[in-house]
């Protein structure tokens, strides 16, 4: 399906000017530059859009950039058959309509010259200065001939690092991807899908985090059309059927307009249609769509105080839906977004969602960081900087970007970086927690005290033994809420290290990479210490459980769960070893560990030999009543599948596991080696009796040549 032909935004989106005919532009561009006394016709539309936001802009630099771009790309054609110069022109137009300043537009015109022509960065720097050169370099791809399969992840790493110093780099990249997605129909279907998936997993989350909603929503619709064509067509049909003269939102909008006019509030009331993906989400949430679900009311006012005045009038003159009220003006989102959200009941019970914001808030909501202009321009009223700084302070750099730039330095492997980047960007909400020294930490929603410890102390957090949250002792696994005060507690013994359990609770890439890196440097610590496993608190290996509880009571475990195992001492606490995850009918051996608990292993577990070598006497253990069901929650087991690499292998294995009624607790797939792939799954089964059937089902998957029990716990996450 051609993404451009689908044009998902066309039926609903109101544009300030019609989309430019790129074929006409191509014909104009082929005529080449004109005399110095006037602007080339091919960028007159860019100039018009630019002057709409910046009336006093100097267009001389744009003219010179166009002349260089046109001459260097002359003779090159896009796969669609259009002259290549139409691409940088279209990208520049997108940014101009969002309100980008001249430097960004200049770099946008030149963004492919270094990558695809004989123009060098030195030439760009000589003719247009350091800033334009930096932006062009930031969006220039790395060569596959030099980086191979790592070219794409390393290119994104390069762009993100450049974005850390200048957010305009990512603005250009997002506009570049949008135009490429609009014209993706000329590509092979498999390449369309690959590009669409990267756009979904990386570019759309970045557009959301940078607040560029205008680009994000259109990218979402284009990806939707390519990856989910059937659902897209269903949504298109629903929107087409709902388009008509009897729009219930029109009636409510008229009532709101009259209400605000009578109250003396100057406001503009618009109907803001939902884009395709938004309609699809509402449909999945509510089932049957109402007439008012295809759009929302947008009320634009002049001042912040007017927003609350509008809110008061609406809640007074209409019946409000209180559960729908959100104040993103007093508490802006982490991507600069500000607005009041509410919903009111109109005539005949129709419920309309309402967005209330100032004109400036609306501009920022649409264009995000692009609307901020040049964030590095010197304020003429500000005193001159006396001490030069090597690192340019970026007033637009949000906390998530700083965290990303920190952890990417530790993710030296391209595959690790690529996987971690996607996981990080999938966390689309942030919280702010306070440190006891008065500072703050920005963390993703769902972050725990483990994440706070590594965010505050870096590698020193390896010695964490607990935390205080809002003044009370808490476990490191405690999930933090927005506004909490957290104080990680560190052990005095700097030789201690993290626990594998911490990976279950870490949500930030920085914490996960640091913990994984520690275990890579200490391979002997990657499995539980046979002498202290399950008897000590997480992260304080070698210390008795009682001592750990005295130092940090909140870190003690909540007690063993029923194991279905019988040992010689009926009063002893019994735990199933995490290193070998025994299930019936495994033969068992137990050992008394510190604290008096008995840890039970599979008889062939390597930890058994280790315990016997240090002189520990085994404890007889067996499954209770010959059944050995762990509990109503079922049994847990770790399996390793060895296979040859092929498409859809992971999907087929996952389907086989689900068919066997097993739940996946965690899964890892190691990088392919000589066309062989190793999958490790930690699974929970309703009954251990189903384990042989599960292993047979996994072996029956095409390409899988062996499935076995793991001897050590799989890394999680």
């Amino acid at each position: 399906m051609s993404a451009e032909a689908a044009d998902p935004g066309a039926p609903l989106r109101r544009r300030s000017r019609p989309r430019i005919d790129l074929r006409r532009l191509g014909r104009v561009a082929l005529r080449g530059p004109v005399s110095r006394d006037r602007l080339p016709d091919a960028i007159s539309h860019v100039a018009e859009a630019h002057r709409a936001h910046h009336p006093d802009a100097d267009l001389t630099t744009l003219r010179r950039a166009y002349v260089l771009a046109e001459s260097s790309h002359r003779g090159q054609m896009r796969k669609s058959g259009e002259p290549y110069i139409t691409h940088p022109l279209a990208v520049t137009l997108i940014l101009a309509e969002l309100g980008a300043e001249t430097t960004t537009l200049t770099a946008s015109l030149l963004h492919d010259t270094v990558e695809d022509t004989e123009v060098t960065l030195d030439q760009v720097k000589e003719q247009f200065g350091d800033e334009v050169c930096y932006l062009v370099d930031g969006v220039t791809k790395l060569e596959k001939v030099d980086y191979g399969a790592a070219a794409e992840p390393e290119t994104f790493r390069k762009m993100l690092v450049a974005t850390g110093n200048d957010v305009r780099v990512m603005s250009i990249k997002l506009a570049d991807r949008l135009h490429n997605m609009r014209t993706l129909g000329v590509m092979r279907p498999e390449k369309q899908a690959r590009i669409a998936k990267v756009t979904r997993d990386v570019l759309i989350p970045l557009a959301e985090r940078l607040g560029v909603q205008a680009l994000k929503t259109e990218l979402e619709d284009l990806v939707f059309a390519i990856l989910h064509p059937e659902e897209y067509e269903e949504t298109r049909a629903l929107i087409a059927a709902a388009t008509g003269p009897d729009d219930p939102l029109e009636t409510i909008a008229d009532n709101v307009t009259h209400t605000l006019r009578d109250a003396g509030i100057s406001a503009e009331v618009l109907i803001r249609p939902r884009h395709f993906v938004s309609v699809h989400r509402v449909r999945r949430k509510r089932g049957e769509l109402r007439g008012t679900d295809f759009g929302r009311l947008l009320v634009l006012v002049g001042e912040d105080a007017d927003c609350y005045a509008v809110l008061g009038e609406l809640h007074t003159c209409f019946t409000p839906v209180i559960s729908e009220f959100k104040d993103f003006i007093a508490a802006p989102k982490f991507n600069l977004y500000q607005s009041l959200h509410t919903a009111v009941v109109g005539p005949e019970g129709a419920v309309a969602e309402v967005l209330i914001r100032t004109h400036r808030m609306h501009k920022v909501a649409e264009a995000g960081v692009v609307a901020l202009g040049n964030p590095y321009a010197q304020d003429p009223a500000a005193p001159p900087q006396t001490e030069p700084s090597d690192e340019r302070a970026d007033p637009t750099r949000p906390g998530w970007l700083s965290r990303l730039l920190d952890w990417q330095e530790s993710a030296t492997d391209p595959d690790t970086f690529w996987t971690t980047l996607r996981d990080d960007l999938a966390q689309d909400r942030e919280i702010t927690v306070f440190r006891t020294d008065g500072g703050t930490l920005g963390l993703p929603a769902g972050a725990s005290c483990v994440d706070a410890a590594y965010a505050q102390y870096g590698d020193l957090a390896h010695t964490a033994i607990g935390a205080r949250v809002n003044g009370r002792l808490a476990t490191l696994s405690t999930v933090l809420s927005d506004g909490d005060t957290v104080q990680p507690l560190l052990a005095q013994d700097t030789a201690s290290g993290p626990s594998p359990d911490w990976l279950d609770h870490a949500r930030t890439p920085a914490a996960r990479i640091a913990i994984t890196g520690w275990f890579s440097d200490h391979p002997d610590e990657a499995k539980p210490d046979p002498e202290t496993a399950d008897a000590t608190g997480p992260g304080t290996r070698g210390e008795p459980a009682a001592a750990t509880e005295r130092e940090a009571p909140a870190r003690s475990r909540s007690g063993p769960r029923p194991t279905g195992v019988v040992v010689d001492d009926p009063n002893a606490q019994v735990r199933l070893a995490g290193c070998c995850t025994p299930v019936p009918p495994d033969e068992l051996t137990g050992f008394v560990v510190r604290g008096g608990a008995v840890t039970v292993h599979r008889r062939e577990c390597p930890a058994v030999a280790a315990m016997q070598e240090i002189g520990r006497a085994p404890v007889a253990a067996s499954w209770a009543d010959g059944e050995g069901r762990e509990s109503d929650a079922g049994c847990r087991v770790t399996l390793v599948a060895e296979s040859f690499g092929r498409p859809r292998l992971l999907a087929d294995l996952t389907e086989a596991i689900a068919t066997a009624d097993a739940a996946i607790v965690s899964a890892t797939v190691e990088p392919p080696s000589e066309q062989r792939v190793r999958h490790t799954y930690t699974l929970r089964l309703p009954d251990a009796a189903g384990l042989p059937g599960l292993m047979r089902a996994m072996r029956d998957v095409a390409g899988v040549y062996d499935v076995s029990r793991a001897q050590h716990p799989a890394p999680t996450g």
Side-chain angles (χ1 to χ4, degrees):
M1 171 181 295
S2 168
E4 186 176 21
D7 191 14
L12 295 180
R13 199 159 291 162
R14 297 179 179 177
R15 297 182 178 272
S16 58
R17 52 182 59 84
R19 180 171 291 180
I20 301 300
D21 181 354
L22 292 179
R23 294 190 180 277
R24 180 184 63 79
L25 279 183
R27 291 192 295 270
V28 174
L30 285 174
R31 289 199 289 267
V34 297
S35 61
R36 294 180 177 272
D37 59 346
R38 67 187 185 91
L39 204 66
D41 291 339
I43 59 168
S44 59
H45 57 288
V46 173
E48 178 188 352
H50 188 36
R51 281 278 172 85
H53 294 276
H54 305 276
D56 300 327
D58 182 2
L59 302 178
T60 305
T61 305
L62 278 182
R63 178 194 178 283
R64 290 193 296 111
Y66 170 76
V67 169
L68 177 59
E70 188 279 329
S71 60
S72 59
H73 287 298
R74 190 177 300 169
Q76 295 179 349
M77 308 296 286
R78 305 194 78 214
K79 291 184 181 296
S80 59
E82 299 156 348
Y84 195 89
I85 188 62
T86 60
H87 172 64
L89 278 170
V91 172
T92 306
L93 176 62
I94 290 170
L95 291 168
E97 290 184 330
L98 288 175
E101 36 68 58
T102 308
T103 301
T104 303
L105 300 186
T106 302
S108 176
L109 281 169
L110 301 171
H111 79 273
D112 275 340
T113 53
V114 174
E115 181 179 325
D116 295 332
T117 75
E118 299 300 320
V119 175
T120 66
L121 282 173
D122 287 340
Q123 289 175 302
V124 173
K125 182 177 181 179
E126 179 182 352
Q127 295 189 42
F128 300 97
D130 291 338
E131 281 194 314
V132 172
C133 177
Y134 185 87
L135 297 178
V136 172
D137 184 32
V139 295
T140 299
K141 295 178 184 176
L142 298 174
E143 294 288 345
K144 281 191 176 181
V145 68
D146 297 325
Y147 288 84
E152 185 171 40
E154 289 301 331
T155 292
F156 271 98
R157 188 201 297 265
K158 172 177 174 256
M159 288 181 188
L160 288 167
V161 171
T163 299
N165 285 328
D166 196 325
V167 293
R168 294 175 292 181
V169 170
M170 193 53 64
S171 300
I172 297 172
K173 177 59 182 177
L174 290 171
D176 172 65
R177 179 54 60 94
L178 176 56
H179 182 246
N180 283 331
M181 288 293 296
R182 285 176 177 173
T183 57
L184 206 58
V186 297
M187 300 288 186
R188 300 187 309 274
E190 58 270 21
K191 189 167 185 179
Q192 288 187 42
R194 185 186 68 79
I195 295 174
K197 288 176 182 177
V198 174
T199 303
R200 176 196 64 193
D201 295 342
V202 179
L203 273 303
I204 288 175
L206 284 170
E208 168 72 18
R209 293 188 176 206
L210 292 173
V212 195
Q213 295 295 320
L215 302 188
K216 179 219 169 191
T217 54
E218 188 172 353
L219 284 172
E220 281 186 327
D221 285 350
L222 292 167
V223 167
F224 186 36
I226 292 171
L227 297 184
H228 305 282
E230 294 181 0
E231 294 177 345
Y232 169 80
E233 288 300 333
E234 290 177 4
T235 306
R236 172 188 279 279
L238 286 172
I239 293 174
T243 303
D246 299 327
D247 186 352
L249 281 176
E250 292 280 2
T251 303
I252 301 176
D254 289 340
N255 292 341
V256 169
T257 300
H258 291 309
T259 298
L260 298 180
R261 184 184 302 136
D262 293 343
I265 300 174
S266 177
E268 184 179 2
V269 181
L270 305 171
I271 295 177
R272 185 172 177 80
R274 291 184 184 272
H275 64 110
F276 278 57
V277 171
S278 180
V279 171
H280 178 66
R281 288 172 181 157
V282 173
R283 183 190 179 197
R284 292 182 61 182
K285 177 181 177 182
R286 296 178 181 165
E288 185 175 350
L289 292 172
R290 304 170 302 198
T292 54
D293 287 336
F294 293 91
R296 292 180 287 189
L297 298 186
L298 174 63
V299 181
L300 298 177
V301 294
E303 303 292 337
D304 291 11
D306 295 335
C307 294
Y308 293 97
V310 169
L311 181 70
E313 288 298 321
L314 293 183
H315 283 195
T316 300
C317 301
F318 298 86
T319 301
V321 182
I322 301 301
S323 61
E324 297 292 326
F325 173 67
K326 298 181 182 68
D327 187 346
F328 294 118
I329 294 179
K333 289 186 178 182
F334 67 91
N335 61 359
L336 309 176
Y337 179 86
Q338 287 184 287
S339 188
L340 294 178
H341 289 204
T342 189
V344 297
V345 180
E348 301 180 359
V351 177
E353 296 182 35
V354 185
L355 311 178
I356 309 167
R357 58 180 72 141
T358 65
H359 290 279
R360 184 183 182 282
M361 290 176 191
H362 181 58
K363 181 179 179 181
V364 174
E366 289 291 289
V369 295
V370 180
L372 301 180
N374 182 356
Y376 315 106
Q378 289 284 339
D379 184 354
Q385 190 175 11
T386 56
E387 297 182 4
S389 173
D390 292 335
E391 182 177 356
R392 179 163 53 181
D394 186 348
T396 68
R397 181 194 287 187
W400 65 265
L401 180 55
S402 295
R403 290 199 307 275
L404 188 154
L405 294 174
D406 289 339
W407 68 251
Q408 67 84 24
E409 293 180 355
S410 303
T412 54
D413 176 68
D415 291 335
T416 301
F417 166 76
W418 196 229
T419 302
T420 307
L421 175 64
R422 295 183 181 203
D423 291 343
D424 188 12
L425 293 176
Q427 304 177 56
D428 59 356
R429 200 164 60 83
E430 281 204 350
I431 62 172
T432 299
V433 297
F434 296 91
R435 295 163 32 171
T436 52
D437 61 5
T440 61
L441 297 173
L443 299 171
S448 67
C449 293
V450 171
D451 299 298
Y454 280 96
Q456 184 168 350
Y457 293 113
D459 287 346
L460 290 178
H462 292 328
T463 65
I465 59 173
R468 290 183 182 274
V469 178
N470 301 325
R472 302 175 69 113
L473 284 170
T475 62
L476 285 170
S477 63
T478 299
V479 176
L480 298 169
S481 299
D482 199 31
D484 281 347
T485 298
V486 61
Q487 179 187 8
L489 305 176
L490 307 183
Q492 294 183 352
D493 179 12
T494 57
S496 62
S499 163
D501 294 341
W502 292 8
L503 287 170
D504 290 331
H505 314 302
R507 294 292 176 269
T508 58
R512 299 186 65 80
I513 290 173
I515 296 168
T516 304
W518 191 91
F519 284 117
S520 297
D521 296 337
H522 303 79
D524 293 339
E525 302 289 342
K527 56 181 181 293
D529 187 327
E531 184 175 352
T532 61
D534 295 317
T536 58
T540 52
R541 292 186 187 82
E543 297 181 13
T548 303
E549 293 173 59
R550 284 195 299 271
E551 292 183 18
R555 292 191 52 201
S556 63
R557 298 178 183 236
S558 59
R561 48 189 170 85
T563 61
V565 173
V566 176
V567 298
D568 285 349
D569 184 356
N571 296 319
Q573 291 184 327
V574 180
R575 297 182 174 91
L576 298 178
C579 55
C580 56
T581 57
V583 298
D586 296 332
E587 294 183 343
L588 306 176
T589 298
F591 294 91
V592 178
V593 296
R594 292 179 183 177
V598 175
T599 299
V600 177
H601 299 259
R602 293 167 58 196
R603 189 165 293 175
E604 65 267 33
C605 177
V608 172
M611 295 290 269
Q612 291 174 338
E613 286 176 3
I614 63 175
R616 288 297 179 92
V619 176
S622 61
W623 297 107
D625 301 326
E627 295 182 7
R629 298 178 187 273
E630 268 191 41
S631 68
D632 292 339
C635 69
R636 180 168 168 153
V637 64
T638 301
L639 300 178
V640 177
E642 305 278 353
S643 65
F644 297 104
R646 68 169 178 83
R648 288 193 53 81
L649 174 62
L650 183 59
D652 292 343
L653 268 171
T654 304
E655 183 178 358
I657 293 169
T659 304
D661 292 330
I664 299 177
V665 178
S666 65
T668 59
V669 181
E670 298 178 11
S673 175
E674 298 181 352
Q675 298 301 315
R676 289 176 170 81
V677 184
R678 179 184 174 94
H679 305 250
T680 305
Y681 298 92
T682 298
L683 308 170
R684 185 170 295 282
L685 286 77
D687 192 313
L691 179 58
L694 168 64
M695 295 176 70
R696 282 195 302 271
M698 293 175 67
R699 289 192 187 103
D700 288 341
V701 173
V704 176
Y705 57 84
D706 189 32
V707 176
S708 60
R709 297 276 296 280
Q711 296 296 326
H712 305 295
T716 58

